[in-house]
Amino acid sequence: MNPTTMHPAPPLPEDLTGLLRRMRLPYLRAAAPEVLATAKAQRWDPTEVLRVLLSEEIRGRDEATKAMRRKAAGLPAGKTFNSWREHDSSIPAPTQSALAGLEWISRAENLAITGPSGTGKTHFVEALAHNVIDAGMRVSWFTLESLTAAITRAGADNSVNKVIARITRAELIVVDDIGMLPSGQAAAEAFYRLVDATYERRSLAVTSNLHPAGFDTIMPKTLATAAVDRLLHHAHVIVTEGTSLRLTEATAGRGVIPLH
C-alpha cells in the first residue's frame, strides 16, 4: 500500500477490469488501483498517470520475458555475478569486466575458457549468460552430452536442421565441460554442426579442462580440427589457473553447514 493512502486502494470498477483483461494488460491492471489512488491524493497530471501505468505494464512484461528465457535456457545452477568472487579468479579483472559488458556478443565473437576443474569456468560463463538474458537476449545452454542427445534425437526424424535453427536463435550458445567424459563420433558431429551453424552469426562459449587445440584427443581428429578452426577464428581464449575453489572451500570446512 502506498504510504500516502491510509486505507487499501479501492478496486477498479468491474467493467474497467474487464476491458484491461480483454486488452491483456495484467501488470497495468494489478498496479492501477494503487496508482490511481496515489494520483488522486497527489493531484497528478493525467499524462503522469498514463506514463506510470504503462511503465508498470512494460516492467512486468520484461520481467516475465526474462523469467521465461532463464527457464528455456536451461542454466545449470543459478549462479550470477552476485556470488562471483572476482578477486579469487585467475581471469584478469579487466578481462572479466570487458566480457561482462557483452560487446563481444553483438559482434558474434566466441569465448573459450579452459583450465583445471574448480577454477570458476562454469560459474563465470553462467553469470555471463544471466547478463545476456538481462540485456534482452536469449541463451541456449548444453553440455556436450546433452547437445549430442538433442542432435541424435533430431536425426531420428530428419529434423536436425530445424533443431539447429531453434538452438541458434539464441544470441549466446554455451557448451559446458567439454572433455569431462569420453566423446565419440556422434558427439563430434553434433559439436561440428553447432560450431558451423554459429560461425560468424552467433556467439558460442565453451568451457573445458582441455585447450580447444586438444579436442582431437577426445573426438575424431577430422571433425575436431574443422570445428576448432571455426570456433577459434573469432574467439577470446581464457586460461584459468590455480587449485579448485570447491576443494579449497571443502578443506576449510566451508562446503557445508556445521552439524550440531
Side-chain angles (χ1 to χ4, degrees):
M1 184 171 63
N2 191 285
T4 62
T5 59
M6 297 300 294
H7 304 286
L12 297 176
E14 289 187 11
D15 59 339
L16 180 54
T17 299
L19 288 172
L20 293 174
R21 280 202 177 95
R22 186 170 180 181
M23 294 180 68
R24 297 179 182 176
L25 299 171
Y27 307 102
L28 186 157
R29 188 175 76 246
E34 192 166 328
V35 169
L36 292 176
T38 301
K40 182 178 181 180
Q42 298 184 359
R43 298 182 180 179
W44 286 5
D45 185 276
T47 57
E48 181 64 17
V49 178
L50 186 59
R51 182 182 297 109
V52 171
L53 288 173
L54 291 176
S55 295
E56 278 298 306
E57 182 64 29
I58 291 171
R59 181 200 60 76
R61 291 187 182 193
D62 286 347
E63 290 303 315
T65 297
K66 289 176 187 178
M68 178 184 66
R69 287 180 174 175
R70 287 188 213 285
K71 183 177 181 180
L75 304 181
K79 292 183 177 179
T80 69
F81 281 117
N82 290 334
S83 57
W84 174 251
R85 300 198 298 269
E86 174 184 331
H87 301 293
D88 288 343
S89 173
S90 61
I91 303 173
T95 301
Q96 294 183 42
S97 179
L99 290 171
L102 304 182
E103 288 186 14
W104 58 285
I105 301 284
S106 66
R107 296 191 293 265
E109 295 171 349
N110 296 333
L111 174 63
I113 303 186
T114 176
S117 178
T119 51
K121 303 183 298 297
T122 297
H123 188 156
F124 184 69
V125 173
E126 187 178 359
L128 289 175
H130 280 285
N131 275 16
V132 169
I133 293 171
D134 285 339
M137 296 180 282
R138 293 156 295 189
V139 175
S140 292
W141 186 287
F142 298 92
T143 62
L144 184 56
E145 292 71 35
S146 66
L147 174 67
T148 303
I151 300 300
T152 300
R153 286 194 302 270
D157 59 5
N158 296 316
S159 62
V160 171
N161 290 339
K162 184 183 295 185
V163 169
I164 289 289
R166 185 174 68 246
I167 293 170
T168 55
R169 282 201 292 266
E171 285 80 3
L172 173 65
I173 299 96
V174 180
V175 183
D176 188 31
D177 269 347
I178 296 175
M180 294 302 291
L181 294 172
S183 303
Q185 181 75 17
E189 290 180 6
F191 185 60
Y192 173 77
R193 283 180 180 274
L194 179 63
V195 173
D196 186 54
T198 57
Y199 180 62
E200 296 186 334
R201 293 181 55 246
R202 287 289 190 256
S203 291
L204 177 61
V206 301
T207 71
S208 178
N209 59 330
L210 296 172
H211 190 283
F215 284 0
D216 60 359
T217 64
I218 61 167
M219 60 180 69
K221 186 177 180 64
T222 301
L223 284 170
T225 300
V228 170
D229 180 64
R230 289 165 174 76
L231 172 69
L232 296 185
H233 184 203
H234 304 296
H236 303 275
V237 181
I238 310 295
V239 179
T240 60
E241 300 173 341
T243 57
S244 167
L245 298 175
R246 289 188 290 265
L247 183 58
T248 299
E249 285 195 346
T251 303
R254 298 197 300 272
V256 295
I257 297 174
L259 299 173
H260 298 289

